[in-house]
Amino acid sequence: MSQPVADVAARTMGRFTPRLRLFTEAMLVEGEEGTVEREVAVLSLVFDYEGTPVRASDERDRFLGAEAEHSGVDRDRAGEREAQRLLESFGAVELGCLSSHTAAYDSEADYVVHGDGNVHALCSFTAHAAPRLRELGWHVDVAEDYPYQVVDVESGWFADVVPDKLRGDWFSLELGVEVGGVRVSLLDALLELVRSCPEGTSLDKLLRAPARLRALRVTENRYLTLPVERLHRLLKIILELYRPEQQGEGFFYFFAQAPSVLGLEREFAKESPPLVLRAPAGFVQKASALARSTLDTAPRARTLRAELRPYQSDGVGFLQSLRELGFGGVLADDMGLGKTLQAIAHLVLEKEAKRAAGPSLVVAPTSLVGNWARELERFAPFLRRVIVHGNRRHRAWENVAQADVVVTTYPVLIRDLERFAARSYHVLVLDEAQALKNSRSLAFVAVERLAATQKILLSGTPIENNLDELWSLMHTAVPGLLGERKVFRSQFRHPIERDKNVDRLEVLRQRVGPFILRRLKEQVLDDLPPKTELVRPVELAGAQRDLYESIRIAAHTEVRNAIRARGLEGSTIAIVDALLKLRQVCCDPRLVPVPSAREVEHSAKFEHLLELLDAELEKSRRVLVFSQFTRMLGFIAEALERQRRDYLLLTGMTANRQRVIDAFQSGRAPIFLISLKAGGTGLNLTAADTVIHYDPWWNPAAQDQATDRAHRIGQDKPVFVHQLIVSGSVEQRMLELQSFKRRLAGGILDGDRALVGELSAEQIDDLLAPLEE
């Protein structure tokens, strides 16, 4: 207890006792609309000298005592001032100090309870200051009609989970307190706070206030006060459950959000007053299992011809747990961790348990059909499989009904959609599921029409560019989890990407967390050799530098004119074209379709690559060279032929890609030239120990995918990754955008709270800025 408070406490037992009364009074208040009459929360302060009341505003220093008519009593001015300072420390403001407040009539008030009239501060005074003053010996009286009274919670908080009678996977939540034997719901007050939090505003900012407590209205003039920290935790859980599209009576949520409901009991069951959660039989058990996201002990597939690593067993347990709970999910392991094997093990377990009433369907990119056929034959040869692909695919349909696993491609699914959609499947496995990231794509629309007991998505890059891609994948795996796309954009994408709202990022992570399993190679593979990444800057000079600048100036002017005329979104074609030409200049002027480019005879990066290849081959290294530009690979191939160096080439035009892959793995050539489209996924190239990215890619996830063709399970040599970048050019600035996109994915998948912004006009200007000296 501080000295002034102790002094006042002592004085209340001696010379006088402070008497305080809380009430409302009509006041003339000055505001933006002028001077108006309002009811204001005020205080009267009287000092009781052994039965004689003296108002604080009384100017007398001496007065006649009540029991001795002719004896005078000296006032304890020092003690009264200390009492007034104590009262003012709780926020009370002397009426005479407020020029904006004037008594409308003869006033009994000496103080305004809180100068700015903040309801939370007013209730905080009632809840905190009044009891504290009573403890110190003050007499505190609260008028019956005082509008800022606080209630005492007698039996704690209640949270009732109630099944929705019309929708089996939906529940409503009743949340509140018991006051005077009556249960009082607080959901409306809590939801009002959530809805008052505009896009881009965090809960921290919303709850920032001078009062230490926040008030929630219980009745017309009674409030429940909560410490800000506790209210923050409560609102965080409500925010996780809140779905703005749910209007009308009740507060409904999808069962997939049930782990957040458990958070209510976890956070508040041991506090005073406690919270008691009541739910239907089995709800808590299932919600707890969903929160764990994997089985405690993953079942072992007896007939699987593979020894799973511990993290792979956990992955199978994740898929089995979701199936048991009736959900799909996303296996988002890093490249090279065996997502295909984990999916096959899951299918084997379903076969062994005789749960499959029909075939399971695997949909993969065309380049991976052969890989799925080989992996099924290798790990689960007893599974009856049918490949629906190629010109003879129609004949394969004769065996589909008797198959355990049907394997097809996204293009075939789109072409033969009516036939695929005519039957249902046990498990639908969607490999390289980033093919569905565009919800307007034919692949997404086709998959949405497929009926399956469980939908599993395999993707090492579930978020490549923006959060709309995450919505597409989760809508496929767990329909309804993230609501409609329009609502998702307003509630999640825009606040996270544009406004850097950490609260919304955390809510999104909590909601999708049980349905996404993500492990990085560095986390689970102790035996994976190191990977060294090197950025190799290249300087443009002479005619190539002049070409870059001339194209840049013309392109920048064109882009600015387009943005001025059509806005940023309407200028996409002009922006992409401008950036493409500059990137082509950086790679090799021969790629640029303008007459002036034909006059440039040298390419700094091309010459640097040839020197780098010489140096790497002298060390007996085996090299993968990636480029987005197939023509660039052609130029490199021509140069290697002139040097009489052996190489292999894989592009979208390669007829038998597996034969070329096997040739490299067997050591037929030390250099493998690969295009982005042909080699970004589905390749196991552990014979290579060096990766060269000739040109940086917009999508860092795709670039990482390419690197992981070599840095994966089975690699026993250190891997060196070289990225060739023209200094000060659009390529160097693209590296910064790559880091932004990595942070976006990390914010959801890996718990990184760093956020990103969308590509802005300023960023475009930066990309098109002059070459740095």
Side-chain angles (χ1 to χ4, degrees):
M1 186 180 296
S2 66
Q3 187 62 38
V5 172
D7 288 346
V8 173
R11 290 179 187 280
T12 58
M13 304 301 293
R15 300 290 306 279
F16 64 85
T17 299
R19 292 184 178 275
L20 194 68
R21 182 167 178 264
L22 283 72
F23 60 104
T24 57
E25 189 171 83
M27 291 269 178
L28 298 175
V29 180
E30 294 179 11
E32 294 180 359
E33 66 275 23
T35 301
V36 295
E37 185 175 308
R38 289 181 182 164
E39 289 292 318
V40 178
V42 293
L43 300 165
S44 68
L45 177 60
V46 171
F47 301 110
D48 187 338
Y49 284 85
E50 299 181 359
T52 301
V54 180
R55 285 186 64 179
S57 58
D58 194 323
E59 297 181 356
R60 293 177 298 166
D61 292 324
R62 184 177 176 83
F63 58 90
L64 292 176
E67 297 184 3
E69 295 183 7
H70 302 293
S71 64
V73 178
D74 293 321
R75 291 176 65 176
D76 183 357
R77 286 294 192 182
E80 291 180 13
R81 283 194 295 271
E82 289 175 4
Q84 289 176 294
R85 281 196 294 269
L86 175 61
L87 180 61
E88 290 164 8
S89 72
F90 290 109
V93 180
E94 198 168 359
L95 185 58
C97 297
L98 287 177
S99 59
S100 58
H101 290 65
T102 306
Y105 313 99
D106 290 338
S107 177
E108 298 181 16
D110 299 295
Y111 285 85
V112 173
V113 174
H114 201 280
D116 61 5
N118 182 289
V119 64
H120 306 291
L122 293 168
C123 290
S124 179
F125 187 92
T126 311
H128 176 69
R132 184 75 180 108
L133 292 171
R134 288 191 182 103
E135 290 175 5
L136 295 174
W138 290 45
H139 286 224
V140 181
D141 177 46
V142 180
E144 289 187 7
D145 61 350
Y146 185 67
Y148 305 108
Q149 299 185 54
V150 296
V151 299
D152 292 323
V153 179
E154 300 165 354
S155 303
W157 290 68
F158 65 85
D160 294 346
V161 175
V162 182
D164 187 346
K165 296 179 181 179
L166 300 179
R167 299 173 296 178
D169 289 336
W170 287 78
F171 296 81
S172 66
L173 178 68
E174 296 176 3
L175 178 66
V177 294
E178 189 168 305
V179 178
V182 178
R183 285 159 61 97
V184 179
S185 174
L186 293 176
L187 267 178
D188 287 343
L190 293 168
L191 289 174
E192 185 178 348
L193 273 174
V194 169
R195 293 183 181 117
S196 70
C197 188
E199 290 181 13
T201 301
S202 68
L203 289 176
D204 289 333
K205 292 181 180 178
L206 177 68
L207 297 179
R208 190 176 296 160
R212 70 173 76 181
L213 302 175
R214 295 287 294 202
L216 296 178
R217 186 186 292 274
V218 174
T219 63
E220 186 173 350
N221 66 341
R222 292 165 73 85
Y223 292 82
L224 173 72
T225 57
L226 288 174
V228 169
E229 184 274 335
R230 181 170 183 175
L231 182 59
H232 186 285
R233 286 186 288 134
L234 184 61
L235 284 177
K236 182 180 175 183
I237 295 172
I238 296 298
L239 197 61
E240 290 168 8
L241 294 169
Y242 177 60
R243 303 175 72 94
E245 65 268 34
Q246 295 292 319
Q247 300 295 334
E249 296 295 325
F251 180 62
F252 293 93
Y253 59 91
F254 189 30
F255 176 73
Q257 301 169 256
S260 295
V261 178
L262 299 185
L264 285 169
E265 188 172 44
R266 183 177 62 251
E267 289 280 352
F268 303 111
K270 295 182 180 180
E271 291 199 4
S272 179
L275 180 144
V276 178
L277 177 67
R278 295 189 298 188
F283 178 90
V284 173
Q285 183 180 3
K286 289 183 66 176
S288 298
L290 186 58
R292 289 196 303 271
S293 295
T294 187
L295 297 177
D296 294 331
T297 303
R300 186 178 183 277
R302 301 184 308 276
T303 54
L304 182 72
R305 294 186 178 180
E307 189 67 34
L308 298 181
R309 293 175 179 242
Y311 77 86
Q312 291 174 327
S313 293
D314 290 342
V316 177
F318 165 73
L319 300 177
Q320 286 283 299
S321 175
L322 289 179
R323 189 268 315 151
E324 199 171 280
L325 293 167
F327 292 109
V330 181
L331 185 57
D333 283 346
D334 210 352
M335 305 302 136
L337 292 185
K339 293 187 289 294
T340 301
L341 175 57
Q342 294 173 68
I344 291 174
H346 178 59
L347 296 178
V348 170
L349 284 169
E350 294 303 290
K351 171 74 172 179
E352 291 177 351
K354 299 181 180 180
R355 281 189 285 265
S360 293
L361 176 64
V362 175
V363 186
T366 303
S367 60
L368 297 187
V369 169
N371 183 66
W372 270 95
R374 285 189 300 276
E375 298 286 84
L376 285 166
E377 174 63 28
R378 177 184 175 189
F379 299 125
F382 54 88
L383 290 181
R384 294 167 296 183
R385 61 190 180 280
V386 173
I387 309 299
V388 181
H389 175 57
N391 295 331
R392 299 180 181 178
R393 68 183 186 277
H394 300 295
R395 188 178 302 174
W397 277 97
E398 300 172 2
N399 302 314
V400 164
Q402 292 75 40
D404 294 315
V405 183
V406 178
V407 181
T408 192
T409 70
Y410 289 105
V412 170
L413 173 65
I414 294 169
R415 285 197 294 269
D416 299 347
L417 178 58
E418 296 304 322
R419 202 164 190 176
F420 279 103
R423 64 179 312 122
S424 61
Y425 304 93
H426 182 56
V427 178
L428 173 60
V429 179
L430 300 162
D431 197 8
E432 297 298 344
Q434 61 270 22
L436 308 173
K437 64 185 181 182
N438 183 352
S439 60
R440 293 183 293 274
S441 68
L442 293 177
F444 179 90
V445 173
V447 167
E448 230 185 351
R449 288 190 56 190
L450 298 180
T453 304
Q454 183 186 35
K455 293 183 180 180
I456 296 172
L457 283 66
L458 310 180
S459 175
T461 55
I463 306 173
E464 294 183 318
N465 295 293
N466 58 62
L467 292 180
D468 269 1
E469 297 170 0
L470 178 67
W471 180 88
S472 298
L473 268 60
M474 298 312 302
H475 182 76
T476 302
V478 192
L481 177 67
L482 297 180
E484 296 301 318
R485 187 175 66 166
K486 181 179 179 181
V487 175
F488 173 79
R489 284 182 168 181
S490 66
Q491 289 295 305
F492 291 108
R493 183 183 175 186
H494 293 158
I496 292 172
E497 293 184 5
R498 183 187 64 200
D499 303 322
K500 299 178 173 54
N501 190 314
V502 175
D503 290 325
R504 300 309 302 176
L505 173 68
E506 183 62 23
V507 169
L508 182 57
R509 285 188 60 243
Q510 291 288 336
R511 192 172 295 185
V512 303
F515 307 98
I516 298 181
L517 183 61
R518 169 78 165 174
R519 280 84 58 88
L520 303 178
K521 291 195 297 291
E522 294 78 7
Q523 296 172 325
V524 296
L525 293 183
D526 295 333
D527 56 346
L528 197 66
K531 177 178 66 175
T532 304
E533 299 188 73
L534 304 166
V535 175
R536 304 183 69 94
V538 178
E539 300 287 342
L540 295 188
Q544 188 178 10
R545 186 182 185 90
D546 294 340
L547 177 65
Y548 183 96
E549 277 301 298
S550 63
I551 290 178
R552 184 198 65 77
I553 292 170
H556 201 177
T557 301
E558 183 179 344
V559 167
R560 282 174 171 168
N561 291 338
I563 293 175
R564 193 178 300 114
R566 298 186 293 274
L568 195 58
E569 292 186 3
S571 306
T572 302
I573 294 176
I575 294 168
V576 170
D577 183 62
L579 297 176
L580 175 63
K581 287 178 181 176
L582 291 180
R583 294 171 59 220
Q584 288 174 330
V585 177
C586 292
C587 290
D588 195 300
R590 288 175 290 178
L591 294 174
V592 186
V594 297
S596 57
R598 302 192 193 106
E599 302 173 5
V600 182
E601 298 179 355
H602 297 284
S603 167
K605 186 187 285 193
F606 183 67
E607 293 164 4
H608 185 85
L609 171 71
L610 297 179
E611 293 173 1
L612 178 59
L613 286 174
D614 287 340
E616 295 301 299
L617 294 178
E618 284 180 9
K619 302 173 188 173
S620 299
R621 296 196 180 279
R622 309 200 64 214
V623 186
L624 307 180
V625 179
F626 286 96
S627 175
Q628 291 179 80
F629 303 109
T630 303
R631 284 186 63 208
M632 189 68 241
L633 296 177
F635 295 150
I636 298 171
E638 291 172 2
L640 294 176
E641 288 176 1
R642 289 194 299 269
Q643 295 177 352
R644 297 186 179 181
R645 292 196 182 279
D646 292 331
Y647 71 91
L648 293 164
L649 176 66
L650 179 64
T651 70
M653 301 299 293
T654 302
N656 191 332
R657 56 184 277 126
Q658 193 58 47
R659 183 183 300 170
V660 178
I661 294 167
D662 293 341
F664 180 78
Q665 286 291 91
S666 65
R668 204 180 95 186
I671 301 173
F672 201 173
L673 309 178
I674 309 174
S675 71
L676 168 63
K677 184 175 182 180
T681 59
L683 298 182
N684 188 338
L685 299 172
T686 51
D689 56 9
T690 301
V691 178
I692 298 175
H693 295 292
Y694 188 81
D695 41 273
W697 300 345
W698 287 113
N699 184 345
Q703 186 161 306
D704 294 340
Q705 244 184 348
T707 297
D708 289 335
R709 300 307 100 210
H711 194 245
R712 60 193 296 120
I713 293 177
Q715 179 59 268
D716 56 6
K717 302 176 291 295
V719 175
F720 293 85
V721 183
H722 303 269
Q723 191 163 208
L724 308 188
I725 299 293
V726 171
S727 298
S729 72
V730 64
E731 291 187 332
Q732 184 171 327
R733 296 178 178 106
M734 283 172 61
L735 291 181
E736 299 176 5
L737 292 180
Q738 284 186 346
S739 69
F740 286 157
K741 291 182 180 181
R742 281 193 177 94
R743 289 163 63 195
L744 173 61
I748 302 300
L749 302 175
D750 305 327
D752 185 354
R753 291 167 70 88
L755 302 175
V756 303
E758 294 175 313
L759 194 65
S760 63
E762 291 75 16
Q763 287 174 311
I764 293 170
D765 280 337
D766 182 58
L767 288 169
L768 297 175
L771 278 169
E772 297 176 0
E773 296 294 339

